[in-house]
Amino acid sequence: MRKNIDVIIPVKDRQGLLIQALNSINTQKLLPSSVIIVDDCSKKKIFIDRKYRFKTKILRNKTNKGVSFSRNKGALFSKNKYIAFLDSDDIWTKDK
């Protein structure tokens, strides 16, 4: 079941942790419409190498702007009624 929720994940140089965070979203009973990942000028480009049960979009900062700027950038990009924030080093339990 999908709801009108977007999840915003700011990330910098944490590809492996990001994938774990995305996998934890993928196990939710209530799925977001999309996950907006804001890459805060990582040394190596952040990428998604698998399909999820929700849409993903990667936005990239040209210079390091910090976590607050990145969250706000994702929020401005979101078109849904609700927004949830998830840090790249966090994992949601199944019924978040």
Side-chain angles (χ1 to χ4, degrees):
M1 174 186 252
R2 289 181 207 263
K3 289 292 181 182
N4 53 351
I5 302 168
D6 282 339
V7 177
I8 298 170
I9 305 176
V11 63
K12 180 175 167 73
D13 298 321
R14 291 182 165 180
Q15 178 72 39
L17 291 173
L18 173 64
I19 298 304
Q20 291 177 13
L22 290 170
N23 289 340
S24 77
I25 297 170
N26 205 44
T27 64
Q28 298 297 306
K29 289 180 184 175
L30 179 65
L31 292 171
S33 297
S34 64
V35 174
I36 302 165
I37 300 159
V38 184
D39 179 1
D40 194 21
C41 196
S42 294
K43 291 175 186 167
K44 288 186 175 181
K45 259 189 175 178
I46 296 296
F47 62 92
I48 306 302
D49 60 353
R50 65 170 281 203
K51 295 278 186 186
Y52 291 100
R53 298 184 310 148
F54 47 82
K55 296 176 188 175
T56 57
K57 174 66 178 169
I58 299 176
L59 306 177
R60 301 187 197 281
N61 295 338
K62 291 182 181 180
T63 60
N64 181 262
K65 298 287 189 175
V67 68
S68 297
F69 179 92
S70 298
R71 281 190 185 113
N72 288 332
K73 182 175 184 174
L76 290 171
F77 186 82
S78 174
K79 302 295 183 228
N80 276 315
K81 185 175 181 179
Y82 301 104
I83 295 173
F85 295 106
L86 177 63
D87 290 332
S88 60
D89 62 347
D90 288 340
I91 295 174
W92 281 349
T93 58
K94 194 167 191 170
D95 293 324
K96 169 72 171 146

PDB file of all heavy atoms in Angstrom, residues 24-56:
ATOM      1  N   SER A  24      15.570  -0.971   4.333  1.00  0.00           N
ATOM      2  CA  SER A  24      14.647  -0.913   5.471  1.00  0.00           C
ATOM      3  C   SER A  24      13.333  -0.228   5.088  1.00  0.00           C
ATOM      4  O   SER A  24      12.275  -0.593   5.596  1.00  0.00           O
ATOM      5  CB  SER A  24      15.298  -0.206   6.660  1.00  0.00           C
ATOM      6  OG  SER A  24      15.331   1.192   6.534  1.00  0.00           O
ATOM      7  N   ILE A  25      13.378   0.724   4.182  1.00  0.00           N
ATOM      8  CA  ILE A  25      12.144   1.353   3.685  1.00  0.00           C
ATOM      9  C   ILE A  25      11.364   0.344   2.852  1.00  0.00           C
ATOM     10  O   ILE A  25      10.140   0.265   2.936  1.00  0.00           O
ATOM     11  CB  ILE A  25      12.455   2.607   2.842  1.00  0.00           C
ATOM     12  CG1 ILE A  25      13.132   3.673   3.685  1.00  0.00           C
ATOM     13  CG2 ILE A  25      11.183   3.158   2.204  1.00  0.00           C
ATOM     14  CD1 ILE A  25      13.690   4.835   2.885  1.00  0.00           C
ATOM     15  N   ASN A  26      12.066  -0.451   2.072  1.00  0.00           N
ATOM     16  CA  ASN A  26      11.442  -1.419   1.174  1.00  0.00           C
ATOM     17  C   ASN A  26      10.656  -2.508   1.926  1.00  0.00           C
ATOM     18  O   ASN A  26       9.773  -3.130   1.349  1.00  0.00           O
ATOM     19  CB  ASN A  26      12.512  -2.054   0.286  1.00  0.00           C
ATOM     20  CG  ASN A  26      11.964  -2.584  -1.008  1.00  0.00           C
ATOM     21  OD1 ASN A  26      11.156  -1.931  -1.663  1.00  0.00           O
ATOM     22  ND2 ASN A  26      12.406  -3.758  -1.391  1.00  0.00           N
ATOM     23  N   THR A  27      10.954  -2.726   3.195  1.00  0.00           N
ATOM     24  CA  THR A  27      10.256  -3.748   3.977  1.00  0.00           C
ATOM     25  C   THR A  27       9.030  -3.212   4.715  1.00  0.00           C
ATOM     26  O   THR A  27       8.361  -3.968   5.414  1.00  0.00           O
ATOM     27  CB  THR A  27      11.194  -4.400   5.013  1.00  0.00           C
ATOM     28  OG1 THR A  27      11.601  -3.410   5.954  1.00  0.00           O
ATOM     29  CG2 THR A  27      12.401  -5.029   4.332  1.00  0.00           C
ATOM     30  N   GLN A  28       8.743  -1.929   4.568  1.00  0.00           N
ATOM     31  CA  GLN A  28       7.612  -1.323   5.267  1.00  0.00           C
ATOM     32  C   GLN A  28       6.278  -1.842   4.741  1.00  0.00           C
ATOM     33  O   GLN A  28       6.145  -2.122   3.550  1.00  0.00           O
ATOM     34  CB  GLN A  28       7.641   0.204   5.115  1.00  0.00           C
ATOM     35  CG  GLN A  28       8.852   0.871   5.698  1.00  0.00           C
ATOM     36  CD  GLN A  28       8.945   0.681   7.191  1.00  0.00           C
ATOM     37  OE1 GLN A  28       8.018   0.991   7.925  1.00  0.00           O
ATOM     38  NE2 GLN A  28      10.068   0.148   7.630  1.00  0.00           N
ATOM     39  N   LYS A  29       5.301  -1.928   5.626  1.00  0.00           N
ATOM     40  CA  LYS A  29       3.941  -2.277   5.196  1.00  0.00           C
ATOM     41  C   LYS A  29       3.326  -1.105   4.433  1.00  0.00           C
ATOM     42  O   LYS A  29       2.643  -1.289   3.443  1.00  0.00           O
ATOM     43  CB  LYS A  29       3.074  -2.625   6.399  1.00  0.00           C
ATOM     44  CG  LYS A  29       3.435  -3.932   7.049  1.00  0.00           C
ATOM     45  CD  LYS A  29       2.540  -4.202   8.228  1.00  0.00           C
ATOM     46  CE  LYS A  29       2.973  -5.475   8.933  1.00  0.00           C
ATOM     47  NZ  LYS A  29       2.182  -5.696  10.148  1.00  0.00           N
ATOM     48  N   LEU A  30       3.580   0.094   4.916  1.00  0.00           N
ATOM     49  CA  LEU A  30       3.094   1.313   4.276  1.00  0.00           C
ATOM     50  C   LEU A  30       4.269   1.947   3.539  1.00  0.00           C
ATOM     51  O   LEU A  30       5.198   2.452   4.157  1.00  0.00           O
ATOM     52  CB  LEU A  30       2.543   2.282   5.325  1.00  0.00           C
ATOM     53  CG  LEU A  30       2.018   3.611   4.830  1.00  0.00           C
ATOM     54  CD1 LEU A  30       0.797   3.402   3.944  1.00  0.00           C
ATOM     55  CD2 LEU A  30       1.664   4.504   5.997  1.00  0.00           C
ATOM     56  N   LEU A  31       4.227   1.869   2.219  1.00  0.00           N
ATOM     57  CA  LEU A  31       5.344   2.365   1.407  1.00  0.00           C
ATOM     58  C   LEU A  31       5.181   3.838   1.058  1.00  0.00           C
ATOM     59  O   LEU A  31       4.058   4.306   0.844  1.00  0.00           O
ATOM     60  CB  LEU A  31       5.438   1.569   0.115  1.00  0.00           C
ATOM     61  CG  LEU A  31       5.859   0.119   0.245  1.00  0.00           C
ATOM     62  CD1 LEU A  31       5.703  -0.586  -1.090  1.00  0.00           C
ATOM     63  CD2 LEU A  31       7.282   0.026   0.738  1.00  0.00           C
ATOM     64  N   PRO A  32       6.291   4.560   0.941  1.00  0.00           N
ATOM     65  CA  PRO A  32       6.204   5.934   0.449  1.00  0.00           C
ATOM     66  C   PRO A  32       5.985   5.927  -1.059  1.00  0.00           C
ATOM     67  O   PRO A  32       6.242   4.930  -1.727  1.00  0.00           O
ATOM     68  CB  PRO A  32       7.576   6.509   0.796  1.00  0.00           C
ATOM     69  CG  PRO A  32       8.487   5.332   0.767  1.00  0.00           C
ATOM     70  CD  PRO A  32       7.662   4.169   1.267  1.00  0.00           C
ATOM     71  N   SER A  33       5.522   7.045  -1.570  1.00  0.00           N
ATOM     72  CA  SER A  33       5.420   7.187  -3.026  1.00  0.00           C
ATOM     73  C   SER A  33       6.802   7.214  -3.642  1.00  0.00           C
ATOM     74  O   SER A  33       7.054   6.610  -4.675  1.00  0.00           O
ATOM     75  CB  SER A  33       4.689   8.477  -3.393  1.00  0.00           C
ATOM     76  OG  SER A  33       3.384   8.458  -2.916  1.00  0.00           O
ATOM     77  N   SER A  34       7.701   7.963  -2.992  1.00  0.00           N
ATOM     78  CA  SER A  34       9.060   8.062  -3.513  1.00  0.00           C
ATOM     79  C   SER A  34      10.047   8.359  -2.400  1.00  0.00           C
ATOM     80  O   SER A  34       9.672   8.823  -1.317  1.00  0.00           O
ATOM     81  CB  SER A  34       9.145   9.136  -4.598  1.00  0.00           C
ATOM     82  OG  SER A  34       8.860  10.399  -4.060  1.00  0.00           O
ATOM     83  N   VAL A  35      11.306   8.084  -2.696  1.00  0.00           N
ATOM     84  CA  VAL A  35      12.411   8.422  -1.810  1.00  0.00           C
ATOM     85  C   VAL A  35      13.312   9.377  -2.569  1.00  0.00           C
ATOM     86  O   VAL A  35      13.763   9.067  -3.675  1.00  0.00           O
ATOM     87  CB  VAL A  35      13.183   7.161  -1.363  1.00  0.00           C
ATOM     88  CG1 VAL A  35      14.409   7.549  -0.568  1.00  0.00           C
ATOM     89  CG2 VAL A  35      12.288   6.240  -0.549  1.00  0.00           C
ATOM     90  N   ILE A  36      13.540  10.524  -1.974  1.00  0.00           N
ATOM     91  CA  ILE A  36      14.387  11.545  -2.578  1.00  0.00           C
ATOM     92  C   ILE A  36      15.725  11.523  -1.843  1.00  0.00           C
ATOM     93  O   ILE A  36      15.780  11.792  -0.644  1.00  0.00           O
ATOM     94  CB  ILE A  36      13.727  12.936  -2.482  1.00  0.00           C
ATOM     95  CG1 ILE A  36      12.365  12.923  -3.164  1.00  0.00           C
ATOM     96  CG2 ILE A  36      14.650  14.004  -3.074  1.00  0.00           C
ATOM     97  CD1 ILE A  36      11.488  14.106  -2.824  1.00  0.00           C
ATOM     98  N   ILE A  37      16.775  11.179  -2.564  1.00  0.00           N
ATOM     99  CA  ILE A  37      18.116  11.103  -2.004  1.00  0.00           C
ATOM    100  C   ILE A  37      18.860  12.357  -2.446  1.00  0.00           C
ATOM    101  O   ILE A  37      18.900  12.671  -3.636  1.00  0.00           O
ATOM    102  CB  ILE A  37      18.834   9.842  -2.516  1.00  0.00           C
ATOM    103  CG1 ILE A  37      18.050   8.598  -2.101  1.00  0.00           C
ATOM    104  CG2 ILE A  37      20.277   9.796  -2.035  1.00  0.00           C
ATOM    105  CD1 ILE A  37      18.359   7.380  -2.925  1.00  0.00           C
ATOM    106  N   VAL A  38      19.422  13.075  -1.482  1.00  0.00           N
ATOM    107  CA  VAL A  38      20.173  14.280  -1.817  1.00  0.00           C
ATOM    108  C   VAL A  38      21.644  14.006  -1.517  1.00  0.00           C
ATOM    109  O   VAL A  38      22.058  13.906  -0.362  1.00  0.00           O
ATOM    110  CB  VAL A  38      19.672  15.509  -1.040  1.00  0.00           C
ATOM    111  CG1 VAL A  38      20.415  16.764  -1.493  1.00  0.00           C
ATOM    112  CG2 VAL A  38      18.165  15.685  -1.223  1.00  0.00           C
ATOM    113  N   ASP A  39      22.432  13.849  -2.574  1.00  0.00           N
ATOM    114  CA  ASP A  39      23.864  13.592  -2.487  1.00  0.00           C
ATOM    115  C   ASP A  39      24.569  14.928  -2.258  1.00  0.00           C
ATOM    116  O   ASP A  39      24.566  15.797  -3.117  1.00  0.00           O
ATOM    117  CB  ASP A  39      24.341  12.923  -3.777  1.00  0.00           C
ATOM    118  CG  ASP A  39      25.824  12.634  -3.792  1.00  0.00           C
ATOM    119  OD1 ASP A  39      26.512  12.934  -2.797  1.00  0.00           O
ATOM    120  OD2 ASP A  39      26.302  12.104  -4.809  1.00  0.00           O
ATOM    121  N   ASP A  40      25.170  15.071  -1.080  1.00  0.00           N
ATOM    122  CA  ASP A  40      25.802  16.338  -0.701  1.00  0.00           C
ATOM    123  C   ASP A  40      27.261  16.377  -1.136  1.00  0.00           C
ATOM    124  O   ASP A  40      28.165  16.493  -0.329  1.00  0.00           O
ATOM    125  CB  ASP A  40      25.674  16.560   0.803  1.00  0.00           C
ATOM    126  CG  ASP A  40      25.987  17.982   1.206  1.00  0.00           C
ATOM    127  OD1 ASP A  40      25.910  18.885   0.347  1.00  0.00           O
ATOM    128  OD2 ASP A  40      26.308  18.198   2.392  1.00  0.00           O
ATOM    129  N   CYS A  41      27.469  16.245  -2.446  1.00  0.00           N
ATOM    130  CA  CYS A  41      28.789  16.359  -3.070  1.00  0.00           C
ATOM    131  C   CYS A  41      29.740  15.262  -2.599  1.00  0.00           C
ATOM    132  O   CYS A  41      30.857  15.523  -2.164  1.00  0.00           O
ATOM    133  CB  CYS A  41      29.379  17.751  -2.808  1.00  0.00           C
ATOM    134  SG  CYS A  41      30.748  18.173  -3.885  1.00  0.00           S
ATOM    135  N   SER A  42      29.299  14.018  -2.706  1.00  0.00           N
ATOM    136  CA  SER A  42      30.132  12.872  -2.337  1.00  0.00           C
ATOM    137  C   SER A  42      31.350  12.781  -3.249  1.00  0.00           C
ATOM    138  O   SER A  42      31.300  13.188  -4.407  1.00  0.00           O
ATOM    139  CB  SER A  42      29.329  11.571  -2.454  1.00  0.00           C
ATOM    140  OG  SER A  42      28.287  11.549  -1.515  1.00  0.00           O
ATOM    141  N   LYS A  43      32.437  12.209  -2.733  1.00  0.00           N
ATOM    142  CA  LYS A  43      33.652  12.030  -3.540  1.00  0.00           C
ATOM    143  C   LYS A  43      33.386  11.069  -4.690  1.00  0.00           C
ATOM    144  O   LYS A  43      33.838  11.289  -5.803  1.00  0.00           O
ATOM    145  CB  LYS A  43      34.793  11.524  -2.666  1.00  0.00           C
ATOM    146  CG  LYS A  43      35.266  12.565  -1.683  1.00  0.00           C
ATOM    147  CD  LYS A  43      36.312  12.024  -0.754  1.00  0.00           C
ATOM    148  CE  LYS A  43      36.641  13.078   0.294  1.00  0.00           C
ATOM    149  NZ  LYS A  43      37.404  12.529   1.400  1.00  0.00           N
ATOM    150  N   LYS A  44      32.665   9.964  -4.399  1.00  0.00           N
ATOM    151  CA  LYS A  44      32.209   9.043  -5.437  1.00  0.00           C
ATOM    152  C   LYS A  44      30.702   9.218  -5.568  1.00  0.00           C
ATOM    153  O   LYS A  44      29.998   9.287  -4.567  1.00  0.00           O
ATOM    154  CB  LYS A  44      32.503   7.591  -5.052  1.00  0.00           C
ATOM    155  CG  LYS A  44      33.954   7.225  -5.108  1.00  0.00           C
ATOM    156  CD  LYS A  44      34.109   5.738  -4.858  1.00  0.00           C
ATOM    157  CE  LYS A  44      35.540   5.298  -5.025  1.00  0.00           C
ATOM    158  NZ  LYS A  44      35.668   3.845  -4.808  1.00  0.00           N
ATOM    159  N   LYS A  45      30.207   9.262  -6.805  1.00  0.00           N
ATOM    160  CA  LYS A  45      28.779   9.462  -7.032  1.00  0.00           C
ATOM    161  C   LYS A  45      27.953   8.384  -6.358  1.00  0.00           C
ATOM    162  O   LYS A  45      28.245   7.195  -6.461  1.00  0.00           O
ATOM    163  CB  LYS A  45      28.469   9.448  -8.525  1.00  0.00           C
ATOM    164  CG  LYS A  45      28.282  10.794  -9.121  1.00  0.00           C
ATOM    165  CD  LYS A  45      27.768  10.685 -10.536  1.00  0.00           C
ATOM    166  CE  LYS A  45      27.464  12.055 -11.070  1.00  0.00           C
ATOM    167  NZ  LYS A  45      27.024  12.041 -12.431  1.00  0.00           N
ATOM    168  N   ILE A  46      26.918   8.810  -5.672  1.00  0.00           N
ATOM    169  CA  ILE A  46      25.958   7.897  -5.060  1.00  0.00           C
ATOM    170  C   ILE A  46      25.088   7.329  -6.180  1.00  0.00           C
ATOM    171  O   ILE A  46      24.674   8.052  -7.088  1.00  0.00           O
ATOM    172  CB  ILE A  46      25.092   8.657  -4.031  1.00  0.00           C
ATOM    173  CG1 ILE A  46      25.957   9.164  -2.868  1.00  0.00           C
ATOM    174  CG2 ILE A  46      23.944   7.822  -3.540  1.00  0.00           C
ATOM    175  CD1 ILE A  46      26.602   8.091  -2.028  1.00  0.00           C
ATOM    176  N   PHE A  47      24.775   6.027  -6.115  1.00  0.00           N
ATOM    177  CA  PHE A  47      23.940   5.415  -7.146  1.00  0.00           C
ATOM    178  C   PHE A  47      23.041   4.344  -6.520  1.00  0.00           C
ATOM    179  O   PHE A  47      23.306   3.855  -5.430  1.00  0.00           O
ATOM    180  CB  PHE A  47      24.808   4.798  -8.256  1.00  0.00           C
ATOM    181  CG  PHE A  47      25.704   3.689  -7.772  1.00  0.00           C
ATOM    182  CD1 PHE A  47      25.281   2.367  -7.820  1.00  0.00           C
ATOM    183  CD2 PHE A  47      26.959   3.976  -7.265  1.00  0.00           C
ATOM    184  CE1 PHE A  47      26.100   1.352  -7.361  1.00  0.00           C
ATOM    185  CE2 PHE A  47      27.786   2.964  -6.809  1.00  0.00           C
ATOM    186  CZ  PHE A  47      27.357   1.646  -6.852  1.00  0.00           C
ATOM    187  N   ILE A  48      21.989   4.018  -7.230  1.00  0.00           N
ATOM    188  CA  ILE A  48      21.064   2.958  -6.831  1.00  0.00           C
ATOM    189  C   ILE A  48      21.189   1.859  -7.880  1.00  0.00           C
ATOM    190  O   ILE A  48      20.980   2.099  -9.063  1.00  0.00           O
ATOM    191  CB  ILE A  48      19.604   3.481  -6.782  1.00  0.00           C
ATOM    192  CG1 ILE A  48      19.504   4.726  -5.899  1.00  0.00           C
ATOM    193  CG2 ILE A  48      18.657   2.384  -6.326  1.00  0.00           C
ATOM    194  CD1 ILE A  48      19.958   4.536  -4.486  1.00  0.00           C
ATOM    195  N   ASP A  49      21.526   0.651  -7.428  1.00  0.00           N
ATOM    196  CA  ASP A  49      21.782  -0.432  -8.376  1.00  0.00           C
ATOM    197  C   ASP A  49      20.719  -1.530  -8.349  1.00  0.00           C
ATOM    198  O   ASP A  49      20.954  -2.604  -8.864  1.00  0.00           O
ATOM    199  CB  ASP A  49      23.163  -1.034  -8.126  1.00  0.00           C
ATOM    200  CG  ASP A  49      23.309  -1.598  -6.727  1.00  0.00           C
ATOM    201  OD1 ASP A  49      22.403  -1.415  -5.903  1.00  0.00           O
ATOM    202  OD2 ASP A  49      24.355  -2.216  -6.457  1.00  0.00           O
ATOM    203  N   ARG A  50      19.565  -1.255  -7.758  1.00  0.00           N
ATOM    204  CA  ARG A  50      18.491  -2.249  -7.764  1.00  0.00           C
ATOM    205  C   ARG A  50      17.144  -1.553  -7.780  1.00  0.00           C
ATOM    206  O   ARG A  50      17.057  -0.349  -7.542  1.00  0.00           O
ATOM    207  CB  ARG A  50      18.607  -3.197  -6.580  1.00  0.00           C
ATOM    208  CG  ARG A  50      18.403  -2.518  -5.235  1.00  0.00           C
ATOM    209  CD  ARG A  50      18.284  -3.505  -4.118  1.00  0.00           C
ATOM    210  NE  ARG A  50      16.943  -4.061  -4.108  1.00  0.00           N
ATOM    211  CZ  ARG A  50      16.370  -4.600  -3.067  1.00  0.00           C
ATOM    212  NH1 ARG A  50      17.015  -4.704  -1.940  1.00  0.00           N
ATOM    213  NH2 ARG A  50      15.151  -5.066  -3.128  1.00  0.00           N
ATOM    214  N   LYS A  51      16.110  -2.326  -8.047  1.00  0.00           N
ATOM    215  CA  LYS A  51      14.742  -1.798  -8.059  1.00  0.00           C
ATOM    216  C   LYS A  51      14.148  -1.921  -6.664  1.00  0.00           C
ATOM    217  O   LYS A  51      14.395  -2.893  -5.953  1.00  0.00           O
ATOM    218  CB  LYS A  51      13.873  -2.598  -9.036  1.00  0.00           C
ATOM    219  CG  LYS A  51      14.299  -2.475 -10.468  1.00  0.00           C
ATOM    220  CD  LYS A  51      13.765  -1.219 -11.052  1.00  0.00           C
ATOM    221  CE  LYS A  51      14.092  -1.183 -12.537  1.00  0.00           C
ATOM    222  NZ  LYS A  51      13.724   0.047 -13.146  1.00  0.00           N
ATOM    223  N   TYR A  52      13.349  -0.945  -6.308  1.00  0.00           N
ATOM    224  CA  TYR A  52      12.624  -0.948  -5.042  1.00  0.00           C
ATOM    225  C   TYR A  52      11.129  -0.850  -5.329  1.00  0.00           C
ATOM    226  O   TYR A  52      10.734  -0.569  -6.458  1.00  0.00           O
ATOM    227  CB  TYR A  52      13.088   0.213  -4.160  1.00  0.00           C
ATOM    228  CG  TYR A  52      14.491   0.044  -3.649  1.00  0.00           C
ATOM    229  CD1 TYR A  52      15.561   0.693  -4.259  1.00  0.00           C
ATOM    230  CD2 TYR A  52      14.759  -0.787  -2.568  1.00  0.00           C
ATOM    231  CE1 TYR A  52      16.853   0.528  -3.797  1.00  0.00           C
ATOM    232  CE2 TYR A  52      16.049  -0.955  -2.101  1.00  0.00           C
ATOM    233  CZ  TYR A  52      17.091  -0.296  -2.719  1.00  0.00           C
ATOM    234  OH  TYR A  52      18.373  -0.468  -2.261  1.00  0.00           O
ATOM    235  N   ARG A  53      10.333  -1.027  -4.299  1.00  0.00           N
ATOM    236  CA  ARG A  53       8.885  -0.965  -4.462  1.00  0.00           C
ATOM    237  C   ARG A  53       8.373   0.472  -4.387  1.00  0.00           C
ATOM    238  O   ARG A  53       7.191   0.706  -4.224  1.00  0.00           O
ATOM    239  CB  ARG A  53       8.200  -1.832  -3.398  1.00  0.00           C
ATOM    240  CG  ARG A  53       8.584  -3.295  -3.526  1.00  0.00           C
ATOM    241  CD  ARG A  53       7.871  -4.208  -2.569  1.00  0.00           C
ATOM    242  NE  ARG A  53       7.922  -3.745  -1.199  1.00  0.00           N
ATOM    243  CZ  ARG A  53       6.961  -3.949  -0.299  1.00  0.00           C
ATOM    244  NH1 ARG A  53       5.869  -4.605  -0.620  1.00  0.00           N
ATOM    245  NH2 ARG A  53       7.097  -3.502   0.929  1.00  0.00           N
ATOM    246  N   PHE A  54       9.240   1.426  -4.529  1.00  0.00           N
ATOM    247  CA  PHE A  54       8.916   2.848  -4.543  1.00  0.00           C
ATOM    248  C   PHE A  54       9.849   3.521  -5.542  1.00  0.00           C
ATOM    249  O   PHE A  54      10.878   2.967  -5.923  1.00  0.00           O
ATOM    250  CB  PHE A  54       9.077   3.458  -3.140  1.00  0.00           C
ATOM    251  CG  PHE A  54      10.376   3.079  -2.471  1.00  0.00           C
ATOM    252  CD1 PHE A  54      11.555   3.740  -2.756  1.00  0.00           C
ATOM    253  CD2 PHE A  54      10.410   2.029  -1.566  1.00  0.00           C
ATOM    254  CE1 PHE A  54      12.749   3.374  -2.160  1.00  0.00           C
ATOM    255  CE2 PHE A  54      11.596   1.652  -0.954  1.00  0.00           C
ATOM    256  CZ  PHE A  54      12.770   2.330  -1.254  1.00  0.00           C
ATOM    257  N   LYS A  55       9.497   4.708  -5.961  1.00  0.00           N
ATOM    258  CA  LYS A  55      10.341   5.461  -6.881  1.00  0.00           C
ATOM    259  C   LYS A  55      11.517   6.065  -6.114  1.00  0.00           C
ATOM    260  O   LYS A  55      11.387   6.423  -4.944  1.00  0.00           O
ATOM    261  CB  LYS A  55       9.548   6.596  -7.532  1.00  0.00           C
ATOM    262  CG  LYS A  55       8.419   6.130  -8.410  1.00  0.00           C
ATOM    263  CD  LYS A  55       7.653   7.322  -8.928  1.00  0.00           C
ATOM    264  CE  LYS A  55       6.408   6.877  -9.659  1.00  0.00           C
ATOM    265  NZ  LYS A  55       5.568   8.019 -10.066  1.00  0.00           N
ATOM    266  N   THR A  56      12.642   6.187  -6.788  1.00  0.00           N
ATOM    267  CA  THR A  56      13.789   6.871  -6.193  1.00  0.00           C
ATOM    268  C   THR A  56      14.244   7.987  -7.126  1.00  0.00           C
ATOM    269  O   THR A  56      14.167   7.866  -8.339  1.00  0.00           O
ATOM    270  CB  THR A  56      14.977   5.911  -5.951  1.00  0.00           C
ATOM    271  OG1 THR A  56      15.343   5.302  -7.182  1.00  0.00           O
ATOM    272  CG2 THR A  56      14.638   4.851  -4.921  1.00  0.00           C
TER     273      THR A  56
END
